[in-house]
Every structure is written in C-alpha cells, then in structure tokens.
C-alpha cells in the first residue's frame, strides 16, 4: 500500500479531479515541454508518461507543428483493483509555430521513456557564415605627383 504525507498535494489533486476535466479531442489539455537550441538544431521535449507510441500524432502544416497524444486507461481484469490513479487520462495537445529559419523538411522524432523528443535543424540560410572580401592587391595604381 502506498502512503503520502503531503496534504496540499492531495488537496490539489482533489481540486483537479473535481474542477478540471480530462482532455478531449475537441478540447485537449496542455502537455509540459522543454525547448532549447543545441548547436545547429532546436530540441523540443514533451513529457508523455504512460502514453504509447501509437497514441501520438505529429502533423506539420504551414510551419505549424501539432503534437497530439492520448493517454488511455490501462486494461485490467476483475482481479485488478486500482490503488492510486493520479495521472490524468484523455487527450493532450500542443502547437508550435516554427519560423522560416528552421528546416521543417528534416524534423526527427524519437520517443523513449515517456519523453517525445523532436530535433528541428536550423535552415542553411539561417546559419551564420563568413563572407570573404575580394580585392586585388595588384590593381593599385601609383599616382605621380
């Protein structure tokens, strides 16, 4: 049996169950994420514990990336009795507006240990580069005074 000693966490969980509703396809709940730049790519990580890979959808339309996931109840039998159920069930969604400086044709997605990781490379046109300055040293003319 699991025991807890934090009364405020229990109050928060109870308020969420009473006043909050699980996400639906027409009104999905938000999912937590982290985003950072690592070298020449942006990395976005979504927390989706308890979601199977088959329940995740990634769509890209006109530089808007939509991530949807559904956490379904675990199948159980007559001999299964839930002791604690704190993870919300339902649909979760997040939209990211990607700028023109990102290469949306080469987005890579990986799902491991409940974390969906997207790697979005920076477009070649947006990478910093050095510009060589051309000039001919032999083209100088001497002026006679």
């Amino acid at each position: 049996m699991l025991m807890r000693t934090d009364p405020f966490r229990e109050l928060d969980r109870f308020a969420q169950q009473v006043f909050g509703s699980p996400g639906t396809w027409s009104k999905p709940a938000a999912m937590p994420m982290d985003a950072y730049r690592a070298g020449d790519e942006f990395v976005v990580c979504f927390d989706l514990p308890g979601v199977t890979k088959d329940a995740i959808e990634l769509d890209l339309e006109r530089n808007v990336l939509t991530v949807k996931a559904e956490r379904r109840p675990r199948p159980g039998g007559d001999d299964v009795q839930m002791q604690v159920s704190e993870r919300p069930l339902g649909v979760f969604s997040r939209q990211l507006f990607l700028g023109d400086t990102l290469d949306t044709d080469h987005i890579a997605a990986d799902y491991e240990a409940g974390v969906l990781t997207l790697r979005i490379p920076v477009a070649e046109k947006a990478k910093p580069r050095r510009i060589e300055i051309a000039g001919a040293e032999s083209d100088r003319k001497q002026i006679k005074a």
Side-chain angles (χ1 to χ4, degrees):
M1 182 168 176
L2 298 173
M3 297 186 68
R4 282 179 251 257
T5 57
D6 186 359
F8 296 108
R9 181 172 174 84
E10 290 299 315
L11 245 165
D12 185 42
R13 183 180 62 82
F14 178 72
Q16 183 67 17
Q17 285 177 345
V18 172
F19 301 116
S21 61
T24 63
W25 284 104
S26 61
K27 186 179 175 189
M31 65 181 78
M33 74 169 205
D34 293 328
Y36 56 92
R37 183 172 178 165
D40 287 337
E41 67 183 4
F42 280 92
V43 180
V44 184
C45 301
F46 297 95
D47 288 338
L48 298 170
V51 175
T52 62
K53 181 180 146 187
D54 299 335
I56 300 173
E57 291 181 14
L58 293 173
D59 294 314
L60 180 66
E61 184 178 347
R62 295 186 182 157
N63 286 1
V64 177
L65 177 70
T66 303
V67 180
K68 281 191 177 182
E70 183 177 13
R71 184 176 296 124
R72 301 174 181 124
R74 296 243 179 225
D78 294 334
D79 60 339
V80 176
Q81 294 179 349
M82 183 62 75
Q83 297 296 313
V84 177
S85 179
E86 290 185 350
R87 295 191 301 184
L89 301 175
V91 179
F92 303 87
S93 179
R94 196 75 182 249
Q95 284 190 323
L96 300 176
F97 297 94
L98 306 178
D100 292 334
T101 59
L102 298 177
D103 185 2
T104 57
D105 293 332
H106 296 95
I107 296 175
D110 181 40
Y111 185 65
E112 185 177 340
V115 177
L116 174 65
T117 303
L118 302 178
R119 297 184 180 281
I120 309 167
V122 174
E124 286 298 321
K125 66 181 180 182
K127 291 180 182 177
R129 61 189 181 278
R130 294 186 68 82
I131 299 172
E132 295 294 325
I133 300 173
E137 303 255 344
S138 63
D139 288 346
R140 292 186 187 174
K141 296 181 180 178
Q142 293 184 356
I143 300 175
K144 293 184 180 179

